[in-house]
Amino acid sequence: MMNNIAGNYSRIQERIMNAAHRCGRQPEEITLVAVSKTHGPDLIQEALSGGVRVFGENRVQEILQKFDPPPGPDVELHMIGHLQSNKVKDAVRLCSWIQSVDSEKLLKKISSRAESLGKTMDICIEMNTSGQESKFGLRTTEELFALLETAAGLPGIRLRGLMTIGPLLSEGEAPVRRAFASLRNDFEESARRFQLPHWDSLSMGMSNDFEIAVEEGSTMVRVGSAIFGSREYR
Ligand SMILES: *Cc1c(COP(=O)(O)O)cnc(C)c1O
């Protein structure tokens, strides 16, 4: 892929728009999070020039290197990777969203940290819909409901919705669709069962499967390599 971030970004936006129209949705309902993990400040600068304002990162260490101080006044940073307790402080300070919450302990820690900074964090609960891909995320609806139960009344957070990483597309499209549909189902069940005034976000879909995710109701796609090019994995 050509390393033209602005061009890649607008092509992804166009594909989101087309996918939305195909299934009778409004493209404005869908936020594109540009996942810049592993890429340096030069590419982030290029993305900013290309109009990107919402970035996703998965490691606090990298966030400290690249987003402290924030590269622009209106930049919104989403933590999308597993968050260790001892990194909560910096994550809360530099991010506006944490999409990867999968325990009561973490949720409480985020809330109290945010409260002491006078911030309210936007939160997604991470669900593991793929079985074995990742060891993170809640695995059952019961676990989700238990967590939502304990989350009621925490002052420093706004519960926005659910996040998942789908199964690999190489396993076929059907399991990917099933995973996304199950996340949507959990999302809707939660809304029926709990008092969740800000519950509006279904974060699913990455470079290889975001169009499927849009068809299954995603309101937030997290796209990395299709915007920034391939990563060097560590
Ligand atoms: C890396 C990552 C992405 C983006 O993946 P691509 O396949 O490069 O689009 C999305 N979500 C999470 C949680 C990630 O870690």
Side-chain angles (χ1 to χ4, degrees):
M1 183 177 309
M2 244 183 59
N3 206 2
N4 167 7
I5 291 172
N8 295 343
Y9 182 69
S10 68
R11 271 189 292 278
I12 300 293
Q13 279 183 313
E14 206 175 295
R15 285 171 60 187
I16 291 170
M17 192 172 80
N18 292 336
H21 286 152
R22 273 202 302 277
C23 57
R25 299 185 59 201
Q26 302 297 320
E28 301 77 45
E29 295 169 12
I30 301 145
T31 301
L32 172 54
V33 178
V35 178
S36 49
K37 68 189 189 197
T38 77
H39 300 293
D42 45 336
L43 293 200
I44 290 180
Q45 209 48 54
E46 213 180 307
L48 284 163
S49 311
V52 177
R53 288 298 175 273
V54 183
F55 290 86
E57 286 281 345
N58 70 337
R59 298 172 74 224
V60 172
Q61 195 51 46
E62 241 183 286
I63 290 175
L64 286 167
Q65 286 160 11
K66 289 148 62 177
F67 289 88
D68 187 17
D74 51 353
V75 169
E76 188 178 295
L77 185 57
H78 292 227
M79 174 62 182
I80 60 173
H82 178 66
L83 183 56
Q84 291 166 287
S85 279
N86 62 345
K87 303 281 172 63
V88 165
K89 191 174 163 184
D90 287 318
V92 167
R93 180 169 63 86
L94 294 166
C95 299
S96 40
W97 286 65
I98 297 176
Q99 296 202 13
S100 40
V101 176
D102 62 0
S103 76
E104 181 185 347
K105 180 172 160 240
L106 191 55
L107 199 58
K108 289 189 161 149
K109 187 142 191 177
I110 292 167
S111 172
S112 78
R113 221 38 246 186
E115 199 187 11
S116 69
L117 289 181
K119 268 184 100 166
T120 307
M121 296 299 292
D122 289 301
I123 297 293
C124 288
I125 309 294
E126 180 173 356
M127 300 293 292
N128 183 329
T129 54
S130 64
Q132 46 277 71
E133 293 298 317
S134 144
K135 38 188 192 304
F136 304 117
L138 304 178
R139 288 179 183 259
T140 66
T141 309
E142 289 68 38
E143 284 180 300
L144 170 63
F145 287 172
L147 182 56
L148 291 174
E149 198 88 57
T150 66
L154 287 179
I157 60 163
R158 256 187 308 262
L159 289 169
R160 298 296 297 267
L162 302 178
M163 184 272 260
T164 201
I165 300 173
L168 292 177
L169 189 58
S170 54
E171 310 287 318
E173 197 178 301
V176 175
R177 257 184 216 288
R178 262 200 307 277
F180 291 159
S182 96
L183 194 74
R184 180 180 181 162
N185 192 60
D186 282 342
F187 174 82
E188 289 172 349
E189 276 295 312
S190 303
R192 273 193 283 276
R193 211 173 260 247
F194 297 92
Q195 192 72 31
L196 297 164
H198 307 286
W199 196 249
D200 60 0
S201 299
L202 206 43
S203 177
M204 55 192 198
M206 308 178 16
S207 291
N208 289 329
D209 58 15
F210 69 88
E211 284 149 318
I212 300 172
V214 167
E215 288 167 12
E216 298 298 330
S218 174
T219 68
M220 199 175 269
V221 297
R222 311 176 309 269
V223 177
S225 44
I227 295 174
F228 291 97
S230 57
R231 287 183 291 275
E232 297 216 358
Y233 280 100
R234 287 147 307 183

